[in-house]
Amino acid sequence: MVEGGIAKADKTEFTECWRTTWKTPYIMRLALSAGIGGLLFGYDTGVISGALLFIKEDFDEVDKKTWLQSTIVSMAVAGAIVGAAVGGWINDRFGRRMSILIADVLFLIGAVVMAFAPAPWVIIVGRVFVGFGVGMASMTSPLYISEASPARIRGALVSTNGLLITGGQFFSYLINLAFVHTPGTWRWMLGVAGVPAIVQFVLMLSLPESPRWLYRKDRVAESRAILERIYPAEEVEAEMDALKESVEAEKADEAIIGDSFRAKLKGAFANPVVRRGLAAGVTVQVAQQFVGINTVMYYSPSIVQFAGYASNSTAMALSLITSGLNAIGSIVSMMFVDRYGRRKLMIISMFGIISCLIILATVFSQAAIHAPKIDPVESTRFSPNSTCPAFAPLATPNAPPSGWNCMKCLRSECGFCASGVQPYAPGACVVLSDDMKATCHSKGRTYFKDGCPSKFGFLAIVFLGLYIVVYAPGMGTVPWIVNSEIYPLRYRGLGGGIAAVSNWVSNLIVSESFLSLTHALGSSGTFLLFAGFSAVGLFFIWLLVPETKGLQFEEVEKLLEAGYKPSLLRRRNKAKDVDTA
């Protein structure tokens, strides 16, 4: 028995999901159609990482101002905060289906605005519109799938949304590579997002509303008709009875506190079940962002360049590997989330994340220490004014070794022209400009401005990939599953909205500060900081998040009514009770 006197759910295998959906393909149709919102969510977070490299080439002001780069990336996140907050209200008032349709329209508007943007500020406006859509889709798609899924395969089906998020990220890198040599590069990259938005809009027009939302709005016959298409005939009546019990309890609650947004918000925080659900839901969403994942997805080509790979095409190709691993990890999550449970997958995932972040911090630290030295003679040979201004006083023929290396050169806002003899031999510290880059390339050398040539670069790529492998099956998909099933029906839109807002606020903080942190702390210090945040997140997941695998929504409510404590704390309390007795 679990807390609250509910029997543990039977183990559910991954094959059960496919067996059920094979017999009832309508379930998979619902899940995949709604899951396109996840694909759009993933495409947007992935595409900007490659597009930004070419936006910097078209607009000098973006190339020179890291805050403008961060703003282009993070304004979509700011829009998502608003979209998630408003989306919670729209979900409860107008339904899950209508929320998805509105999100598609916002996606399309944003994609068109960005594709035709004549200036950086217009790109930012388009990013805000896309953000509105992302925020609504991020909490509505898993909610719709969850409420249209049988409990025994709910985790696997909601994981399809996570799979489509990571699939969208992978697809975005393919699109980025496809348009590298096409006129208008980044415009095509950003504009393609309008296509799946149109596809989902058309598909959702032919699909029904969530059966649980319909029942809550007294549209009982419509709710039953949908449940009859989802559940075997012998299970429909039991599901209707469970819905009736849940809705009647919520209506009694509503009669006491009222139905306005303010009253509902007040009632949510006064309700111990919702408070405990929010404690768990917000914890996993904040932890998901503060492990640093979206810095990897938004800036992975830049991180690859930090590791010493200067070419835009090479950086995006290597980033495609990390994105592909993320998609594979989501498939692993679908296989195991209903077998081993949400809580266990997240805890294992967090241990792996912390280990990888510490190793990455060590790798980047060693890469900085062993960066190629600066050759004073090489630094003056290109032209009289080619030497980095900060290094110029040291670049005299008889000057002693300066102690400068490539990393110090880049931190002085200069460029590094690698040796033409050996990639790790001393090179030139030169001015940071497109002309200097062209001059360096004309001599058969590589020009670096974001990272230095390093023998440790391949290790950074390996552990970046491993970081994704341990992140995706646990912290990548499970927080969205938890938030789709942990709130009472009456508060499900509101609770999911609050948790999604916490996710996007955390995302905004992390993505907006990443480039500034790497400049202030270096890549090594930044990854170490994320490792510390991850350790804190692991503790609170262990403390606050219960196991919900295989439980009906109504059973989850009863679990939270009794209150949750980790088994270790329960054993300690029992021991104290025994001692007292």
Side-chain angles (χ1 to χ4, degrees):
M1 301 288 286
V2 295
E3 297 85 349
I6 304 162
K8 285 186 178 179
D10 293 332
K11 284 189 175 181
T12 304
E13 306 292 340
F14 178 59
T15 51
E16 174 64 19
C17 175
W18 297 112
R19 188 182 302 120
T20 301
T21 53
W22 182 262
K23 292 179 180 177
T24 315
Y26 184 68
I27 297 173
M28 185 56 77
R29 181 185 166 198
L30 291 173
L32 290 178
S33 298
I36 294 175
L39 182 128
L40 284 164
F41 172 10
Y43 184 87
D44 176 74
T45 58
V47 74
I48 193 61
S49 63
L52 189 61
L53 299 178
F54 297 95
I55 291 172
K56 289 192 294 184
E57 291 183 356
D58 278 8
F59 300 107
D60 287 340
E61 57 189 305
V62 177
D63 189 36
K64 294 174 181 177
K65 298 174 181 177
T66 56
W67 68 265
L68 192 52
Q69 297 171 35
S70 296
T71 301
I72 289 173
V73 171
S74 60
M75 284 311 293
V77 183
I81 294 170
V82 177
V86 175
W89 176 78
I90 293 175
N91 265 273
D92 284 338
R93 176 68 65 178
F94 301 107
R96 302 11 173 170
R97 178 172 169 270
M98 179 59 70
S99 295
I100 292 173
L101 292 173
I102 293 171
D104 288 330
V105 173
L106 292 169
F107 272 122
L108 182 60
I109 292 172
V112 172
V113 169
M114 289 187 295
F116 292 97
W121 71 266
V122 182
I123 299 175
I124 291 171
V125 171
R127 293 284 292 162
V128 171
F129 272 98
V130 166
F132 291 155
V134 166
M136 291 183 67
S138 68
M139 54 87 57
T140 306
S141 293
L143 184 59
Y144 182 91
I145 296 169
S146 176
E147 292 186 344
S149 304
R152 64 184 179 276
I153 60 169
R154 188 173 61 231
L157 282 177
V158 176
S159 289
T160 61
N161 184 67
L163 173 62
L164 286 167
I165 290 173
T166 56
Q169 290 167 340
F170 183 74
F171 178 60
S172 73
Y173 286 114
L174 287 176
I175 292 294
N176 284 350
L177 282 172
F179 289 114
V180 163
H181 301 295
T182 304
T185 51
W186 59 269
R187 298 182 185 278
W188 286 103
M189 294 172 183
L190 298 176
V192 165
V195 176
I198 295 171
V199 171
Q200 185 180 43
F201 187 90
V202 173
L203 288 174
M204 290 304 298
L205 287 175
S206 65
L207 292 176
E209 183 50 79
S210 155
R212 285 176 169 77
W213 185 85
L214 289 171
Y215 198 103
R216 182 70 183 77
K217 297 299 180 181
D218 295 321
R219 294 159 66 176
V220 178
E222 292 176 65
S223 176
R224 176 185 285 275
I226 298 166
L227 290 175
E228 285 174 348
R229 299 188 68 178
I230 295 171
Y231 285 89
E234 64 274 12
E235 295 180 20
V236 172
E237 206 57 47
E239 186 66 20
M240 291 294 293
D241 290 342
L243 265 179
K244 180 180 179 181
E245 180 184 348
S246 176
V247 170
E248 285 179 351
E250 288 166 8
K251 286 187 174 180
D253 188 28
E254 181 180 301
I256 298 172
I257 66 171
D259 193 36
S260 68
F261 177 79
R262 184 177 178 182
K264 186 177 283 190
L265 188 63
K266 185 178 179 181
F269 285 102
N271 186 320
V273 173
V274 181
R275 281 204 312 272
R276 289 166 185 154
L278 282 171
V282 170
T283 291
V284 296
Q285 294 286 34
V286 172
Q288 184 191 60
Q289 293 304 318
F290 273 91
V291 301
I293 182 58
N294 276 322
T295 62
V296 174
M297 302 318 298
Y298 291 142
Y299 298 110
S300 57
S302 298
I303 293 171
V304 171
Q305 289 182 333
F306 293 159
Y309 296 90
S311 163
N312 284 355
S313 299
T314 302
M316 284 197 293
L318 289 171
S319 299
L320 183 64
I321 297 172
T322 63
S323 182
L325 290 171
N326 201 12
I328 293 169
S330 298
I331 297 173
V332 173
S333 178
M334 292 177 66
M335 295 174 64
F336 294 112
V337 70
D338 283 322
R339 181 186 299 184
Y340 297 113
R342 288 73 160 133
R343 177 181 166 86
K344 185 179 290 185
L345 278 185
M346 284 191 292
I347 289 174
I348 293 171
S349 179
M350 288 296 275
F351 274 113
I353 287 167
I354 293 168
S355 301
C356 287
L357 286 171
I358 291 172
I359 294 170
L360 279 168
T362 304
V363 168
F364 277 103
S365 174
Q366 291 301 307
I369 292 169
H370 296 93
K373 301 293 183 182
I374 301 299
D375 186 328
V377 176
E378 287 282 309
S379 300
T380 58
R381 68 180 299 178
F382 295 98
S383 68
N385 298 317
S386 65
T387 307
C388 169
F391 184 71
L394 304 173
T396 57
N398 298 318
S402 63
W404 274 51
N405 66 9
C406 170
M407 194 59 66
K408 189 169 183 179
C409 175
L410 299 191
R411 287 174 181 166
S412 300
E413 298 186 357
C414 294
F416 179 77
C417 186
S419 168
V421 181
Q422 295 179 353
Y424 309 119
C429 186
V430 293
V431 293
L432 188 64
S433 70
D434 289 338
D435 289 341
M436 192 65 246
K437 179 180 179 180
T439 302
C440 183
H441 287 171
S442 70
K443 297 182 180 295
R445 301 180 175 199
T446 305
Y447 185 80
F448 293 84
K449 63 186 184 68
D450 294 308
C452 295
S454 173
K455 297 176 182 178
F456 298 93
F458 80 96
L459 283 176
I461 304 303
V462 168
F463 283 100
L464 199 61
L466 191 57
Y467 166 84
I468 295 293
V469 167
V470 296
Y471 166 85
M475 292 306 297
T477 55
V478 177
W480 298 106
I481 298 172
V482 169
N483 274 281
S484 71
E485 61 190 12
I486 205 166
Y487 307 110
L489 176 58
R490 168 167 157 70
Y491 296 105
R492 198 162 293 150
L494 179 65
I498 291 171
V501 167
S502 70
N503 181 289
W504 288 110
V505 168
S506 302
N507 188 329
L508 178 63
I509 293 169
V510 173
S511 61
E512 181 68 29
S513 62
F514 177 70
L515 290 178
S516 299
L517 282 173
T518 55
H519 277 79
L521 304 177
S523 301
S524 175
T526 303
F527 282 115
L528 200 59
L529 183 65
F530 285 140
F533 289 145
S534 300
V536 174
L538 172 61
F539 171 75
F540 282 103
I541 289 172
W542 172 81
L543 184 67
L544 298 173
V545 183
E547 182 54 71
T548 57
K549 70 164 183 170
L551 299 179
Q552 299 285 352
F553 289 120
E554 294 72 26
E555 293 175 317
V556 175
E557 284 187 50
K558 292 177 182 177
L559 171 64
L560 292 174
E561 276 178 17
Y564 174 75
K565 286 185 179 180
S567 57
L568 179 63
L569 295 183
R570 291 200 305 271
R571 286 196 297 269
R572 285 185 178 179
N573 287 342
K574 286 180 181 179
K576 287 181 180 178
D577 292 341
V578 170
D579 292 341
T580 303

